[in-house]
Each structure stands twice: as C-alpha cells, then as structure tokens.
Amino acid sequence: IFVKVGQTLAQRPDVVGEEAAQALKTMQSKNQPFDDEVAHRIIMEDLQHKGPIAPGLCPRGCDPKVPPLFASFSPKPIAAASLGQVYKARTHEGLDIAVKVQRPGVARQVSCDWVVWFLVLKLQRLVTGSVNDFAKVADGVASGVFLELDYHVEGRNQEDFLREHRWLGFVTSPAWIKKYTGPYGSCRVLS
C-alpha cells in the first residue's frame, strides 16, 4: 500500500511539491522482478499444468512428457511492478499474449500495510484531535489495491472497457484469456 500511495503522490506535485514528486516517480519504474522460478511455479499451480511452460522451459517438478503450456515464453519478465510482473508468451494458436504473475505474499503484505497505516492514522487523529479522519482514506486506498489483486475483477474490467469503448475505433484494451488465467477466488495469473 505504501508503494501505491507513493506512486499516486508522484502524480500530485501540487500536493507534495515538485522535488518530492520527482523523487517518488522512481517508485513507478524501479520495481525489481521476483525470481523467475517462483513465477514459473505460480503459473504451473494456478493453471494446473504439470508440464513445461514452453519448449525448453521445464521448471523443477514439471513433467517433460506433458505438452508445453505455451508455444513460447519470454525467459525474463518484460515488466515488473509493485504487485507483480509480466511475461510475453505465444499460445499454440499463434496469439501473442501478456501473462501477469502476482508477487508471492503480496496479499498478506497489503493486509499488513493497511492495518499499520489505519492504526497510525487513527492514533494521529486521537493525539492531534484532528477532525479529519484520514483512516477513511487508508480504507479507500486498501480497497482499491485489493481489487487490483483480484485478477478476475481486472479481467472483467477489461471486458467492460472494451464493450463500453468499442464504438471508438482507436481505443482498445487487451482481451482477457480465461484459459490462461488462474482460478476464481485465488487467481495469481492473468493473461
């Protein structure tokens, strides 16, 4: 949550000042990817695939006799963010897709961040006697981040966006490919 708050404030030099906004912008582009082996295991678990992810990419524990999940898969993520990272893949049907993999433990970290932030803001209000209840802001931010962690919500949002903007020929969004998306309620992979 703290990273998301920093990323949001980076867009508000009118609130935090130009110098602080520039410093906070590094939070938008300096996220380190997590280990590829971990991402591969998450993909295999979420998509219930026992074989290679792609030809030549058979993580520990995979059965090389099972056909590969994808025709090709980038060896490294093409993007990394605070909540996950993205790989480029090609389906066996020849479709180039993005495969978004959630960082391990991120839901627990967001929960812990929210509790700490909420309690600190409640304490701040109690100590200062402020009429402003910034803990409500913390609730709003946490709710938004939790929605970002629900990849089925993100997939439905993509569908809604496409449907609502189809009449604008120049506006598009990637389609949600349910076949390559994890299970409802515990999804950590979105394609």
Side-chain angles (χ1 to χ4, degrees), residues 167-187:
W167 64 278
L168 294 169
F170 58 90
V171 176
T172 190
S173 173
W176 175 25
I177 304 173
K178 295 175 188 170
K179 173 181 175 182
Y180 297 112
T181 297
Y184 181 77
S186 62
C187 179

Side-chain angles (χ1 to χ4, degrees), residues 12-162:
R12 298 296 311 267
D14 58 314
V15 173
V16 298
E18 198 64 48
E19 189 176 332
Q22 286 302 316
L24 290 169
K25 284 186 180 190
T26 62
M27 298 177 96
Q28 296 173 324
S29 59
K30 300 284 185 196
N31 290 289
Q32 294 298 314
F34 59 93
D35 187 75
D36 294 315
E37 181 77 24
V38 173
H40 298 158
R41 278 197 305 272
I42 290 171
I43 292 167
M44 290 174 64
E45 289 169 10
D46 253 33
L47 302 184
Q48 298 179 347
H49 185 72
K50 304 291 183 208
I53 296 198
L57 182 54
C58 193
R60 192 173 342 159
C62 91
D63 182 352
K65 294 180 223 133
V66 174
L69 183 61
F70 298 104
S72 67
F73 195 85
S74 61
K76 294 287 179 194
I78 58 170
S82 59
L83 302 179
Q85 58 197 38
V86 178
Y87 293 86
K88 181 179 179 181
R90 176 169 285 144
T91 67
H92 293 289
E93 299 78 29
L95 183 64
D96 288 326
I97 64 172
V99 179
K100 186 175 180 180
V101 183
Q102 200 170 90
R103 283 186 184 277
V106 73
R108 183 171 190 266
Q109 184 63 53
V110 167
S111 298
C112 291
D113 288 354
W114 170 75
V115 169
V116 168
W117 194 27
F118 182 85
L119 292 175
V120 166
L121 291 172
K122 282 293 188 187
L123 182 63
Q124 176 268 340
R125 184 175 187 208
L126 184 68
V127 169
T128 64
S130 175
V131 296
N132 297 317
D133 189 358
F134 291 114
K136 289 182 180 178
V137 174
D139 276 345
V141 170
S143 295
V145 174
F146 278 118
L147 284 174
E148 274 189 67
L149 293 175
D150 186 335
Y151 284 174
H152 281 257
V153 168
E154 186 171 339
R156 287 190 300 274
N157 287 343
Q158 288 173 314
E159 289 175 342
D160 291 346
F161 184 86
L162 279 172

